[in-house]
Amino acid sequence: MPTPAYPGQPGFVVPAPQDRPRYDRRAVRVLLLDEDDRMLLFLDSDLGLDPVAHWWVTPGGGVDPGESDHEAAVRELWEETGLVVDADELVGPVLTRVAVHGYSDKVVDQTEVFYVVRVPAFEVDTTAHTEEELLTVADIRWWALPDLATTDDDVWPRDVLAVLELAQRPHAWSDGPVQADPVEESSVPAS
């Protein structure tokens, strides 16, 4: 029996939407800003496409079983950036949404919770990245907000600056995070 080809390997063919495995997960996203109002973003990629698809994304990832959203945000920041923060440094949760992320090899229905953290600029440490992150993260960049507002690059969430603006209005989410409309952000449409 032949071994299946994985994204980025010769012979990989993007399955039809109904043939891609579909997963549900809860995740945290962190809008990480420095003292100059620059936002840290990762250039992620879908290696199963030719040409490879790219998009910028905030730090964050899945919430592990038994872990709170705050604990997951603290852990994900450390794993993805090397930054150690206390849970009380997280602003939020500001917003929650359901995002469908279709990729060349899977579809993820993700409930996302957004936080904001302000820190002095630092050099990102990727030594705790997973094997997949080491393969798919193509760049890491501190973005000036005016550049982020005018870029033609794909950024997830697409309304990242609106989320940041919401974070600056705590009365809007002090009783709980704002529930955003469901969205799809995909390198390969989910349906």
Side-chain angles (χ1 to χ4, degrees):
M1 177 179 214
T3 303
Y6 295 100
Q9 294 181 331
F12 177 77
V13 176
V14 176
Q18 69 274 13
D19 295 334
R20 285 180 276 159
R22 194 161 190 144
Y23 304 97
D24 289 315
R25 83 172 191 164
R26 185 170 184 86
V28 292
R29 309 288 345 156
V30 181
L31 280 60
L32 188 60
L33 295 129
D34 73 4
E35 68 275 14
D36 294 323
D37 266 348
R38 297 180 308 161
M39 186 181 298
L40 185 71
L41 297 176
F42 294 90
L43 184 61
D44 206 348
S45 56
D46 186 337
L47 302 178
L49 300 176
D50 186 15
V52 172
H54 291 96
W55 61 93
W56 293 94
V57 65
T58 64
V63 177
D64 289 339
E67 189 176 45
S68 73
D69 293 341
H70 278 83
E71 290 167 336
V74 167
R75 177 185 49 77
E76 285 288 338
L77 278 176
W78 175 79
E79 289 176 358
E80 293 191 349
T81 71
L83 179 67
V84 176
V85 298
D86 291 325
D88 62 359
E89 294 177 70
L90 299 169
V91 174
V94 172
L95 179 123
T96 188
R97 70 177 190 168
V98 174
V100 175
H101 297 301
Y103 305 102
S104 62
D105 62 336
K106 64 187 169 201
V107 176
V108 180
D109 295 293
Q110 185 162 279
T111 300
E112 298 178 329
V113 179
F114 287 84
Y115 295 91
V116 177
V117 175
R118 289 191 175 270
V119 296
F122 64 95
E123 188 70 30
V124 173
D125 178 357
T126 61
T127 56
H129 276 203
T130 65
E131 282 186 49
E132 182 179 359
E133 288 166 338
L134 292 171
L135 290 172
T136 61
V137 174
D139 196 8
I140 302 170
R141 177 174 162 193
W142 287 96
W143 281 79
L145 298 182
D147 294 340
L148 197 51
T150 59
T151 186
D152 290 330
D153 290 359
D154 205 5
V155 178
W156 299 359
R158 291 197 175 101
D159 62 349
V160 69
L161 293 178
V163 178
L164 179 59
E165 190 273 330
L166 175 65
Q168 296 166 353
R169 295 184 290 116
H171 64 278
W173 48 268
S174 60
D175 291 333
V178 171
Q179 177 64 55
D181 292 333
V183 297
E184 179 171 344
E185 295 168 337
S186 296
S187 55
V188 178
S191 56

